Amino acid sequence: MTTVAAPRATKRPSVAARRTGYLIAVGINVLLLWLANVQPGWEALPFLTSDMEQVMPLVNASLIAGAVANVVYLAADPKWLKALGDIVTTVVGIVAMVKMWQVFPFDFGDASFDWALLFRWVLGVGIVGSAISILVNLVSLVSGTRSRS
C-alpha cells in the first residue's frame, strides 16, 4: 500500500528578511533605471542598435513596476497582495520581452559565436518562465483570497 504525504506548508521568511529583500530589489531597479537612462545609458553597450529606443519605454515600465511593487510590499505583503503584484510586474516584463523579441535591437557583428541565437533562446526561456510564473501566482492569489474569506 502506498501512502501519500500531505503537502507541507512552506514557512515564509521573517518580516525583517522579506523587507530587506524588497528594499534591495527597489535599489536594484532604481540603479538599473539610472544606468540605462542616465549614466552611462544604454547607448554605451556596443551590441545594442538604435532600435533599442523602441524597446526602452517597456524596459523602463518593467523596472518601474518592479520598484513600485516592492515599495508596496515594504508597507504590507500578505500572500494575496504579493501574488497580485508579482502577476502585474511579470505581465509588464513579458510585454517588454515580446517587444524585444520583435524588434531584436542587437547587432553582434561578425562574431564567431551565434550570439543572436543565444539571445533569442534566453528571451524565449524568459517569456515561457514568466508565463508559468503568472499561472503559479494566479493559483496563489485565488487560494490566498479564498483562505481570507
Side-chain angles (χ1 to χ4, degrees), residues 2 9 15 22 29 53 56 71 84-85 92 98 101 105 127 133 139:
T2 306
V15 173
Y22 301 147
N29 281 297
E53 290 177 9
M56 278 310 293
V71 167
L84 179 62
V92 176
V98 167
W101 180 285
I127 291 166
S133 170
V139 169

Side-chain angles (χ1 to χ4, degrees), residues 6-38:
R8 288 187 287 156
T10 57
K11 185 178 177 203
R12 291 178 85 187
S14 70
V15 173
R18 292 195 315 266
R19 286 192 177 146
T20 299
Y22 301 147
L23 194 57
I24 290 170
V26 170
I28 289 171
N29 281 297
V30 169
L31 176 64
L32 289 173
L33 279 164
W34 172 266
L35 291 173
N37 295 286
V38 180

Side-chain angles (χ1 to χ4, degrees), residues 22-134:
Y22 301 147
L23 194 57
I24 290 170
V26 170
I28 289 171
N29 281 297
V30 169
L31 176 64
L32 289 173
L33 279 164
W34 172 266
L35 291 173
N37 295 286
V38 180
Q39 186 65 30
W42 64 265
E43 298 92 347
L45 296 173
F47 59 87
L48 292 177
T49 69
S50 61
D51 289 339
M52 189 65 184
E53 290 177 9
Q54 298 175 48
V55 180
M56 278 310 293
L58 291 170
V59 171
N60 287 337
S62 180
L63 292 169
I64 291 167
V68 168
N70 281 285
V71 167
V72 170
Y73 303 153
L74 281 168
D77 70 341
K79 288 182 181 181
W80 69 268
L81 180 62
K82 179 82 168 68
L84 179 62
D86 288 352
I87 290 168
V88 171
T89 58
T90 305
V91 166
V92 176
I94 284 179
V95 171
M97 286 187 286
V98 167
K99 183 69 170 182
M100 191 152 316
W101 180 285
Q102 293 168 339
V103 173
F104 206 71
F106 306 103
D107 181 8
F108 302 103
D110 295 328
S112 60
F113 183 79
D114 194 350
W115 288 102
L117 178 63
L118 177 64
F119 272 52
R120 290 252 189 220
W121 268 98
V122 169
L123 281 171
V125 169
I127 291 166
V128 170
S130 295
I132 293 168
S133 170
I134 289 170

